[in-house]
Amino acid sequence: MQAYILVDEAEELYDGIFLKAVIPGRTVTSAVRFPRRALYREKFVYLIEDGVLAYRPVEVVRSETDYVIVAGGLADGDMLVTDVLQGVSPGMPASVKNTDERAQVMP
């Protein structure tokens, strides 16, 4: 992350100096981190429910380059589709191909 800081007394700073900063943020509990490719239209995911595709909105609280962190919209045990899908719609038959890649639950 790149940050810019305005300092009133610039003569006290030298090129290459390190500073310590406190950046306030929001505490998120019970979040899940998964590959960004599993996110559609910036706020939806596909799940497999009872052998068919389901389309569900999620609450994205942080977007990283390759991952997103979601704090709402998913429940424990949901089967998240992480492969890129094209030409599909909710209700289409679906089956699990690989369960090696797991979402990371964040405390």
Side-chain angles (χ1 to χ4, degrees):
M1 172 172 53
Q2 192 171 29
Y4 297 94
I5 301 170
L6 176 63
V7 179
D8 292 335
E9 298 179 29
E11 68 272 357
E12 299 292 324
L13 297 177
Y14 303 100
D15 190 27
I17 195 169
F18 289 92
L19 301 173
K20 189 181 284 186
V22 176
I23 302 172
R26 182 175 106 181
T27 302
V28 178
T29 58
S30 302
V32 177
R33 180 178 180 248
F34 58 82
R36 186 181 192 90
R37 69 179 180 270
L39 189 66
Y40 293 84
R41 297 177 54 207
E42 299 299 319
K43 62 180 179 178
F44 293 96
V45 294
Y46 277 103
L47 304 170
I48 298 177
E49 294 178 346
D50 300 322
V52 297
L53 287 176
Y55 194 61
R56 187 182 299 170
V58 291
E59 178 191 354
V60 177
V61 293
R62 181 179 172 134
S63 292
E64 299 173 348
T65 304
D66 295 325
Y67 293 91
V68 292
I69 299 173
V70 171
L74 295 175
D76 190 28
D78 279 346
M79 190 67 65
L80 179 67
V81 178
T82 58
D83 284 342
V84 177
L85 301 176
Q86 294 179 359
V88 298
S89 61
M92 292 180 78
S95 61
V96 177
K97 178 178 83 172
N98 182 357
T99 59
D100 289 342
E101 186 175 23
R102 301 220 183 256
Q104 298 175 353
V105 177
M106 305 178 84

